[in-house]
Amino acid sequence: MGFAEWSTSIQIPTIYLTICLTIPSMALYIAEIVTIVRHKKFHNSFYALFVMRAIPDLLYVLTSFYCQRLPSIIGAVLYPIYSQFPDWMFAMGMFFTEHTFQANNLVTAFILLNRLTTIIMPIKHEMLWKKFLPFITIFVYGVPTFFCWPAFKMHGFIQLNDPNSTTDRNFAMSGDALHFSYIVYINTVSSAIFTILCVLINIATFLAYKFHVKKVVGNGNNVQNIELKLFIYALSTFLGHALVASLFLITAITNIGDTKTTTFLYIYYPLIMDTGTVVLSSWLLLWASGTFRQQLIKDFSIIRKTNIQNIRVDAMEGPQNNNHRPVRGAVGPQLQTRFISCVQQLPTIS
């Protein structure tokens, strides 16, 4: 059994693995976005770029479920529905898959640039980024749209995993070879540019740390520690995206049209993409920012610890009415005899 055949045999377990990785990461991602939006102390350029990258990340995962994961698992149920889809619904899946990939790379490069400007211009840094954030947003979402819109010209079709089987109706959404090769080519070129650009930004950032950041004696400066962790976060997420980009570069160097290469890209792309983007970007932020982590836990903790003092209070007796006390001594016939004698001693009223 060759590598391609072995990869095909583990496709379903790989999809289940990606689901186990992705669902908790998506939930955490959404919680982080809500925390950033709710609290003004996180309304800065770094967290704005974080949200800007989280949106295509989440959209990519949903598109992946729509195009590949669910059809590969419950294809027998979805086949009658998907077989009625027009071409634009097939093209939409391809469009969002490639659009989110390119937008993700662009935002990652801007996050690295954001960390660089924090060092070289700490005073004007935030003011400068807030001024250009609207233009960056248009650029991040507009450029991939320009390059990926030809996907809507694609003729979509359903590709069964085993066309000769009468029971296995699992499938994947696909398109004609011309537009598919174009999309892969665009992703490969953008991956190469993204990798080179980010490496240059990282080199500049390391040099900036060497010449602009002073060594702190003792416990260190808390602000500098936070900035250093955020830079490590940006660098780590870049490495994750570089791993995804290398997947396209490897397939381009070998042969895009080769069946084994296409199989490798199709099966391992969700696992590598999920790990390099959604998983790293969401979970590493909890380590990078202690303030953000504490706020997130405070906002979304199910059981909140509260200090309750147990004060023992003695039971307080209510007011007593002496009129309801039982008469001690005379009871029964003796009480009746005393009452009659008292009445007889009363003066006669004329």
Side-chain angles (χ1 to χ4, degrees), residues 48-59:
L49 292 172
F50 176 86
V51 174
M52 196 182 301
R53 184 170 64 181
I55 293 173
D57 272 345
L58 296 175
L59 186 58

Side-chain angles (χ1 to χ4, degrees), residues 98 101-102 148 182-192 248:
E98 311 314 322
F101 170 75
Q102 296 180 24
C148 295
Y182 166 79
I183 292 297
V184 174
Y185 175 77
I186 291 297
N187 283 345
T188 304
V189 174
S190 64
S191 298
F248 284 96

Side-chain angles (χ1 to χ4, degrees), residues 50 58 61 63 77 105 142 170 267 285 294 330 348:
F50 176 86
L58 296 175
V61 173
T63 305
V77 178
N105 288 344
N170 293 335
I267 293 176
L285 185 62
Q294 293 172 3
T348 304

Side-chain angles (χ1 to χ4, degrees), residues 5-6 15 40 44 72 74 115 128 136 165 168 177 188 191 194 200 209 217 234 246 272 300-301 307 317 323-324 335:
E5 291 77 11
W6 178 79
I15 292 176
K40 291 185 178 180
N44 55 47
S72 297
I74 55 173
R115 295 298 89 199
L128 186 66
I136 293 174
S165 175
D168 184 9
T188 304
S191 298
F194 159 76
L200 294 177
Y209 263 111
V217 182
S246 65
I272 297 175
F300 292 94
S301 58
N307 296 325
E317 296 182 357
N323 295 331
H324 296 284
L335 179 61

Side-chain angles (χ1 to χ4, degrees), residues 231-304:
F231 169 68
I232 296 175
Y233 166 83
L235 180 61
S236 301
T237 54
F238 155 69
L239 294 176
H241 288 75
L243 178 63
V244 180
S246 65
L247 184 64
F248 284 96
L249 295 176
I250 292 173
T251 53
I253 292 173
T254 54
N255 188 4
I256 295 178
D258 183 55
T259 305
K260 294 182 179 180
T261 303
T262 305
T263 302
F264 175 81
L265 180 63
Y266 174 75
I267 293 176
Y268 292 103
Y269 179 77
L271 178 61
I272 297 175
M273 186 72 175
D274 289 355
T275 306
T277 58
V278 179
V279 176
L280 282 178
S281 299
S282 59
W283 291 99
L284 274 181
L285 185 62
L286 298 181
W287 167 83
S289 177
T291 304
F292 183 83
R293 179 177 63 251
Q294 293 172 3
Q295 187 64 59
L296 181 71
I297 295 173
K298 182 180 179 181
D299 289 349
F300 292 94
S301 58
I302 300 176
I303 301 176
R304 299 183 179 181

